[in-house]
Amino acid sequence: MDMTPIDPRIVNATSVKASNSEDAETNDSEPKSLTITSASSDPKMFTLPWDLPLAEWPDDLLVNLPRGISRHVVRFVRVGSHIYAMKEITRPIAEREYETLRQLEKIDVPAVKPIAVVTGRHSKNGEELEAMLVTEHLKFSLPYRALFARNLRDDTAQRLIDALAVLLVRLHLIGFYWGDVSLSNVLFLRDADEFAAFLVDAETGELYPKLTDGQREYDIDLARTNIIGELMDLNSGNLLPSGVDEVEVGNRLVNRYHSLWSALTDVETFKPDEMWKIEKRVNKLNELGFDVDELEMTTTEDGSRVNVHPRVVDAGYASRKLLRLTGLDVQENQARRLLNDIEAYRMSTWRQNEDPEIVATDWMREVFEPTVRMIPPEYRSQIEPAQFFHEVLTHRWYLGEKMGHDVPMATATQSYIDQYLKDYRIDTQVMRAINMDADAGVVDDTATYGDNSSITGGVDGDGTNGKGRVVVGVANAAQPDDDSDEDDQDASVWAQDVSGKQD
């Protein structure tokens, strides 16, 4: 048995403890009084109409953002200056998901931020209401259905899959078994020409010191199945580009995952005079966006070969470097693009020998800040500054190629604003259709989860319960019965904005 300890940062990450089989009978009902366990100290949380079912909350509290297809009632609510996603769900599952998200937050995993879990809700007539999980919206992000509701490049599905593969590898590296991998349970942020994926649904997840191969492969196989189904659903609604093969995209997830996992975890063997290959391996991992904490090197008995096993600690190599230089906290591919522009600025100003921090500070003042200040006020909540800067750089390159000479940055920025920024909107009718589809997927939680006896079970060495279904503590609560093929589409509901430039 692997006795590797769980990352100490997640120990006691939250005071909320989900119910288990031993006390399920006593904990099944809601508390007698309203209880808000919150990671936020916002007093406005107490002023919300907790005595009303979420579907009946007044419109003046709600924010019109795209919601994914969900088995639960989900709404975006403005609380002071914040926008929160509210999900109405059974108490054991709400408490457990809040706890899991808090654990992931402690170790800086790409996931939505948990704000509170609200229990003990009762109507004015004394009727028990379901608990509420509250998370913070992920600013500038979009659910996959909202992305495909617009005219996108044919390779958008592949780019989303690549982002999901990276997220799944990151989760598996830290010992997180997901149990319900799908496009619906992810939010996507634009990251230069690619996307970054964030987990938004942790109902079925569980942290382990280390995952078995069986657990990892179950996640991968389930992801492939769900993705193919989701893309077929898009295709039936004429939302998928005609050149996309749903099965091929599903297979791409499997191939991309295994390729990345191999690059990050395989042991390589070199001759003693080939030690330069070690640096090449580390550089390759950095290019993939991962930091290497240490290298474990052992020699064969005869000393003729050296075995090298890297210990990868986290993604975000470029973004952390940019953060150190400029204080900008952006996505990985955005960071690479900005670092390249800083280097171009350094070369063009003949400052190759100057301190990088000083050069980066001047670049911020002379190049980056004047550019992003040109974003019109009405678009500042719709496009991330780093993404805007990246797209202006791309537009400037095309302008220069067309005109045969360099174009001033301010000129390129205004040209981009005039020609493309208006595309960062979504049609009102499309928005209405997306949210109508989301509400149409809501079902009764009792039918979904059954009684509390369904949330327990033993785990075999391969991560299954011996019947081919994964059982991870109370995580099994969110899995359908054995004879049901219903997918959990508690979808991407933590987006801040519906807008996005056409790719």
Side-chain angles (χ1 to χ4, degrees):
M1 174 180 287
D2 192 304
M3 299 302 293
T4 306
I6 293 178
D7 191 311
R9 290 173 293 178
I10 68 173
V11 178
N12 297 323
T14 173
S15 59
V16 172
K17 300 299 177 186
S19 305
N20 55 43
S21 58
E22 296 179 357
D23 57 8
E25 184 175 348
T26 58
N27 286 329
D28 187 40
S29 61
E30 290 292 311
K32 299 301 182 183
S33 60
L34 184 70
T35 302
I36 301 178
T37 303
S38 177
S40 168
S41 58
D42 191 344
K44 293 184 176 64
M45 287 283 290
F46 291 93
T47 67
L48 297 174
W50 301 115
D51 59 340
L52 291 176
L54 183 56
E56 298 177 12
W57 280 27
D59 290 342
D60 61 347
L61 290 177
L62 305 182
V63 182
N64 190 28
L65 299 174
R67 302 190 303 273
I69 296 174
S70 173
R71 296 191 301 193
H72 316 290
V73 176
V74 176
R75 295 291 184 270
F76 292 99
V77 178
R78 189 179 301 279
V79 182
S81 60
H82 300 282
I83 298 174
Y84 295 143
M86 306 282 187
K87 178 168 70 171
E88 213 164 37
I89 195 170
T90 57
R91 182 168 75 92
I93 304 303
E95 290 178 338
R96 188 178 182 286
E97 185 169 8
Y98 176 79
E99 179 182 5
T100 301
L101 289 173
R102 287 275 283 166
Q103 291 174 334
L104 295 178
E105 183 183 22
K106 291 287 183 180
I107 50 180
D108 197 28
V109 170
V112 293
K113 179 180 179 180
I115 297 298
V117 61
V118 183
T119 58
R121 298 175 62 225
H122 294 81
S123 70
K124 292 182 179 179
N125 297 327
E127 180 185 359
E128 286 188 1
L129 300 176
E130 286 189 313
M132 197 94 79
L133 176 69
V134 184
T135 59
E136 189 172 26
H137 70 283
L138 183 58
K139 196 174 182 182
F140 304 114
S141 66
L142 286 169
Y144 85 101
R145 292 182 69 88
L147 281 168
F148 280 103
R150 300 165 41 253
N151 294 322
L152 297 173
R153 285 168 26 188
D154 287 349
D155 69 344
T156 295
Q158 286 84 354
R159 291 186 292 150
L160 295 184
I161 290 305
D162 291 348
L164 180 55
V166 172
L167 174 62
L168 190 54
V169 166
R170 290 188 64 180
L171 292 171
H172 285 176
L173 282 172
I174 57 98
F176 183 78
Y177 164 77
W178 196 338
D180 194 14
V181 190
S182 68
L183 292 173
S184 297
N185 291 334
V186 176
L187 276 177
F188 294 96
L189 274 176
R190 293 178 182 277
D191 184 11
D193 292 326
E194 306 297 330
F195 289 94
F198 287 73
L199 179 149
V200 297
D201 190 311
E203 291 178 22
T204 57
E206 182 81 6
L207 272 164
Y208 290 93
K210 184 179 180 180
L211 295 185
T212 66
D213 289 342
Q215 287 171 316
R216 291 194 303 106
E217 290 301 325
Y218 185 92
D219 258 355
I220 298 165
D221 184 63
L222 182 62
R224 177 186 177 276
T225 302
N226 285 343
I227 288 166
I228 292 173
E230 288 165 329
L231 294 180
M232 286 182 173
D233 181 55
L234 287 176
N235 193 27
S236 67
N238 297 318
L239 295 177
L240 197 66
S242 58
V244 175
D245 183 321
E246 300 93 334
V247 175
E248 181 181 332
V249 173
N251 292 337
R252 180 186 179 93
L253 182 280
V254 178
N255 295 332
R256 294 289 290 177
Y257 174 92
H258 285 302
S259 176
L260 184 55
W261 183 266
S262 176
L264 296 173
T265 62
D266 280 357
V267 176
E268 285 191 277
T269 302
F270 307 114
K271 294 180 181 178
D273 60 351
E274 294 178 328
M275 301 306 287
W276 58 271
K277 291 184 178 180
I278 297 177
E279 183 178 356
K280 183 179 179 181
R281 174 83 184 273
V282 173
N283 289 339
K284 179 182 178 182
L285 294 175
N286 290 161
E287 289 171 3
L288 291 171
F290 289 82
D291 269 337
V292 177
D293 183 54
E294 60 186 29
L295 292 173
E296 179 184 327
M297 292 185 286
T298 58
T299 59
T300 56
E301 291 185 3
D302 60 4
S304 63
R305 309 290 289 181
V306 178
N307 300 319
V308 178
H309 182 204
R311 180 170 178 263
V312 176
V313 289
D314 201 2
Y317 176 79
S319 58
R320 278 192 286 272
K321 181 177 179 180
L322 183 72
L323 184 63
R324 289 194 300 269
L325 288 174
T326 66
L328 293 173
D329 188 4
V330 305
Q331 302 304 312
E332 185 70 7
N333 291 312
Q334 292 170 346
R336 289 195 186 99
R337 188 69 188 275
L338 269 58
L339 287 170
N340 288 340
D341 199 61
I342 292 173
E343 179 64 16
Y345 170 81
R346 185 174 71 90
M347 298 294 290
S348 66
T349 54
W350 303 95
R351 302 170 66 179
Q352 292 90 331
N353 297 322
E354 277 201 47
D355 189 301
E357 284 79 5
I358 295 175
V359 174
T361 299
D362 291 342
W363 172 85
M364 282 283 292
R365 185 181 65 254
E366 298 175 12
V367 182
F368 183 80
E369 290 175 352
T371 300
V372 299
R373 277 199 297 267
M374 292 181 67
I375 302 175
E378 63 270 27
Y379 289 97
R380 288 175 186 169
S381 65
Q382 301 178 23
I383 182 169
E384 196 174 5
Q387 184 66 25
F388 176 83
F389 189 84
H390 158 75
E391 295 188 13
V392 168
L393 287 179
T394 301
H395 183 64
R396 184 190 185 196
W397 185 89
Y398 283 116
L399 286 178
E401 185 181 56
K402 181 179 179 180
M403 297 180 179
H405 59 78
D406 286 341
V407 177
M409 193 65 173
T411 302
T413 303
Q414 190 59 55
S415 174
Y416 171 80
I417 291 171
D418 294 340
Q419 294 186 50
Y420 296 109
L421 196 56
K422 60 181 179 295
D423 294 332
Y424 263 76
R425 294 192 181 279
I426 195 167
D427 183 83
T428 303
Q429 292 183 347
V430 173
M431 165 78 83
R432 185 179 298 112
I434 290 172
N435 286 339
M436 286 179 65
D437 284 344
D439 290 339
V442 175
V443 298
D444 179 70
D445 276 316
T446 302
T448 303
Y449 295 108
D451 58 32
N452 282 322
S453 64
S454 68
I455 68 174
T456 61
V459 182
D460 290 347
D462 65 351
T464 73
N465 65 354
K467 300 178 182 179
R469 305 192 65 78
V470 172
V471 184
V472 190
V474 298
N476 196 40
Q479 295 189 7
D481 295 333
D482 284 349
D483 58 355
S484 169
D485 61 357
E486 178 185 5
D487 290 335
D488 182 4
Q489 303 223 347
D490 190 5
S492 343
V493 294
W494 281 271
Q496 180 203 350
D497 206 283
V498 301
S499 308
K501 177 178 175 291
Q502 292 185 357
D503 274 344

